[in-house]
Every structure is written in C-alpha cells, then in structure tokens.
Amino acid sequence: MSETFSLGRIAGIRVGVNASVLVIVLIIAGGLAFGRFPLVLPGRGAAAYVVAALAAALAFLASLLAHELAHALVARRNGVEVEGITLWLLGGVARLRGGARTPGAEFRIAGVGPLTSLVLGLLLGAGAMLARLAGADGLPVAVLEYLAGINVALAVFNLVPAAPLDGGRLLRALLWRLRGDAWSSAVTAARAGRFFGFALIALGFLQLVTGQGFGGLWLALVGLFVVNAATAEEQHAQVSGRLGGLTVGAVMSGPALVADPDLTVERFLHEVALVRRFSTYPLVDPSGALVGLVTLNRLRSVPPAARTTTRLRDVACPPAAIPVARPGEPLTELLPRMEGCSDGRAVVLDGGRVVGVVSPSDVARTLQLADLAAFDRYPSAGGGADVARVPDAGRP
C-alpha cells in the first residue's frame, strides 16, 4: 500500500495513490460501461456509457477518500498523528502513527468512516430521487444511484465487527471499555477478523466452483487481505501487550555513538565502524542536533571505489525520515514508527540531544526477558506471556 504518486494535501494531510488503484477503476468502469448501464438504460452510444462509467469510478474513489479523510481528521482531533492517506486496490487506508489513547477516542475514530459513507450514500440517493421526481431519467441519474448504493454498501461492510474493518475497531473499543484491557480486546477483534476473512475466502471459492466467475475470485482476494491484516494485528497486539508499561528509555541502547556527517565513508569505516562494531550511528552537527542516521546496511550500499569521496551525510537517512522518541515515551507508541529508511532503528532525544538508539534487537531482547519473567511467574504457561495477564496494558 505504498504511495506511487501524490495528490497533494487536504486539510494538511498528505494524500497519495498506489498504482494498483487503476485496477479497481478499470473493474468498476468496465462493469458499468459494458454491464450495468446498457442493461438499465439501453439504446445509448458506447461512448456515453464509457464516460458515465469513468465518472462513476472516479467519484467512487472520491467517496473512498472522504471516508479515509474523516478517519484522519477525527484521529488528529483526538491526539493521534496522521502520516497520510493512500488509495489502493482494495480501497483506502489512513496511516496513523500510534493509536487512540482511550476507548472513546478509538470509537470515534473508527465510527466516523462508515458514518461518512452512509451520509454520502443517503445524500446521493436523495439527489437521484429528486432528479427522477423532476422528470430526469438518464445516465447522470444512474450514476447517482450507483454511487448511493455503493456508499451504503461500503458503510455496511465496514461495520462488520472484525478487524481490520472499522467494525473491528468499534468492537475493540467496546471490549476495551468493558474489560479495561486494550491489548486483549485488540486480540479478540483480530481473531474475529481472521474468522470473517476465512468465511469470505470460502464463500468466494464456492462462487467460483458454482460458475459465478469473477465475483468469487474478488471475494476470495478480499478475504485473503482481511486474514493477513487481522493476523498481523493480532501479532502486534500480543507483542504490545507484553511490552505494555515499558518506556523507550528502559529499552534503548545508550549512550549512542554519534558521528560527524562530513566524514568520508572510507575514513568512518576504518576509524569507527570496524573498531566499535555498532550497527547504527546518529549523525550530529557541531551543536549536537540530529542531522542524519547511518546504518551498516546504508554504508554497504556505497561502492568501494566511491567510499573515499562519499560523505556520511550523502548516504544518511534524513532527519525528517528518522523515527525519534523521548525517553519517557511508551515503547508501544514508538513501535509503529520504526520503519522506513532507518532500517527499523529509532533515535532517542532528550532536550534535542541524542541520548540513545532503539533497534529491533533491543526490542527482541526485551521480549525475551518479558517471556522469561512471565515463565517465572506463571510456570504452567510454557513461557508465553498472555496479554490478559499484563497489568496496566497501556494504549494501542
């Protein structure tokens, strides 16, 4: 679901499109232009059907964008940082950094998406009805009716109580409110999502073997996506539950070994990397401010012949792309940000100065210690820490 090209910003939120979205545009436009529209409104020219179908497909993408933009705006109002929105093959996704801090915030963020789609559907349906009452009966009305129906269907589908659908988020919020445990609630919603995804796959294959063709294949594809996403969410919830209550400062490696961004790669390798044998090096300017991050993977990408002329700043991950955190920040809020060009590393800042680094190995070591502690406390559990046992489960 990575962004292929950008559409700019709406209300300060970056909006992008993945190239796979062209597939859904072609599917919708083709189905309408050569199926639905000629059937309900025969006798029009092929060009008219194609134009109306393309308009409907693009308007549907705009509806998806409105759905995701509603999520993003409400998330931002509830203190959740929004990285951006991406439209792709199976719809859209609002990329949030961190999670809601309360069940109420989770409920509002999740619920506003289906509500937006439902309101759009009702408004478009009312527009089509008024147009028919006024005597209009043509392709524009058919487009309005299609968009009304698809938006209502989108709202209903997203309300299924199964993660990663919005209904799964609503289920998690309700369970969180009842149990007081964010992580076990997330695991329950994710398992419901897996069950729902497998049901969609089974239904899709049933349609395929009974000769219903493409619809069954599409349903199975959606089910496969739901299963994979729900599995990932369950794993994330289980890991986060085991790390609940830990701060970044308790996990980080420090003090960090910083480097001069103007050193050449050749000199840095011989004088620092091959001597100290760390894998991550924040770059700081003379004032101590973070200006980049290099890892052994990024240094390895520099050809040997270019190492004497290439400076560290030339191959570093830029400051804006480096995940940063404060020592007192909950570790579970940092984990979703540890991706991108930093090779999974994050830099810990205190008062603007580098004090440590969090790497995947730091997190893995902490998980191993958590398992050992859980085994010592619950020997019958076989060493696995159950998220339901974690006091003060924290925030997703």
Side-chain angles (χ1 to χ4, degrees), residues 268-294:
F268 177 77
L269 286 173
H270 285 90
E271 296 183 4
V272 181
L274 296 177
V275 177
R276 304 303 295 270
R277 300 185 182 276
F278 291 170
S279 63
T280 309
Y281 300 88
L283 306 182
V284 299
D285 63 16
S287 68
L290 180 68
V291 296
L293 181 76
V294 293

Side-chain angles (χ1 to χ4, degrees), residues 137-393:
D137 183 19
L139 284 171
V141 177
V143 169
L144 287 176
E145 290 175 339
Y146 167 77
L147 291 172
I150 198 67
N151 272 283
V152 171
L154 181 65
V156 172
F157 180 76
N158 270 281
L159 285 173
V160 174
L165 303 177
D166 295 331
R169 310 271 188 257
L170 295 173
L171 175 62
R172 182 172 71 174
L174 291 173
L175 292 176
W176 185 2
R177 175 72 71 184
L178 293 172
R179 297 175 178 175
D181 185 339
W183 304 119
S184 68
S185 302
V187 169
T188 300
R191 288 175 178 171
R194 272 216 317 276
F195 177 83
F196 179 64
F198 281 123
L200 289 180
I201 293 173
L203 183 59
F205 276 114
L206 180 63
Q207 290 186 0
L208 281 174
V209 298
T210 55
Q212 298 184 46
F214 180 78
L217 182 62
W218 185 257
L219 202 59
L221 178 63
V222 173
L224 182 62
F225 164 74
V226 171
V227 168
N228 288 337
T231 300
E233 289 203 10
E234 181 179 353
Q235 292 171 346
H236 173 73
Q238 289 175 335
V239 169
S240 298
R242 289 152 69 192
L243 298 176
L246 290 177
T247 63
V248 171
V251 176
M252 73 178 189
S253 298
L257 183 61
V258 299
D260 182 350
D262 291 318
L263 277 179
T264 64
V265 171
E266 178 76 14
R267 183 179 171 188
F268 177 77
L269 286 173
H270 285 90
E271 296 183 4
V272 181
L274 296 177
V275 177
R276 304 303 295 270
R277 300 185 182 276
F278 291 170
S279 63
T280 309
Y281 300 88
L283 306 182
V284 299
D285 63 16
S287 68
L290 180 68
V291 296
L293 181 76
V294 293
T295 63
L296 294 185
N297 283 336
R298 300 186 73 83
L299 295 175
R300 192 179 294 117
S301 67
V302 181
R307 290 174 180 174
T308 57
T309 56
T310 303
R311 298 176 302 167
L312 293 181
R313 69 167 69 246
D314 298 328
V315 295
C317 183
I322 302 171
V324 297
R326 295 170 288 99
E329 181 179 345
L331 179 62
T332 51
E333 293 189 3
L334 172 62
L335 290 178
R337 307 201 303 269
M338 293 176 62
E339 57 183 16
C341 74
S342 65
D343 292 334
R345 274 72 172 173
V347 177
V348 185
L349 302 178
D350 190 7
R353 304 187 71 84
V354 176
V355 295
V357 171
V358 178
S359 69
S361 60
D362 294 323
V363 177
R365 181 175 61 251
T366 303
L367 284 171
Q368 291 172 346
L369 292 173
D371 282 346
L372 288 172
F375 181 81
D376 181 63
R377 186 176 176 185
Y378 306 102
S380 63
D386 191 329
V387 294
R389 294 195 186 103
V390 179
D392 250 336

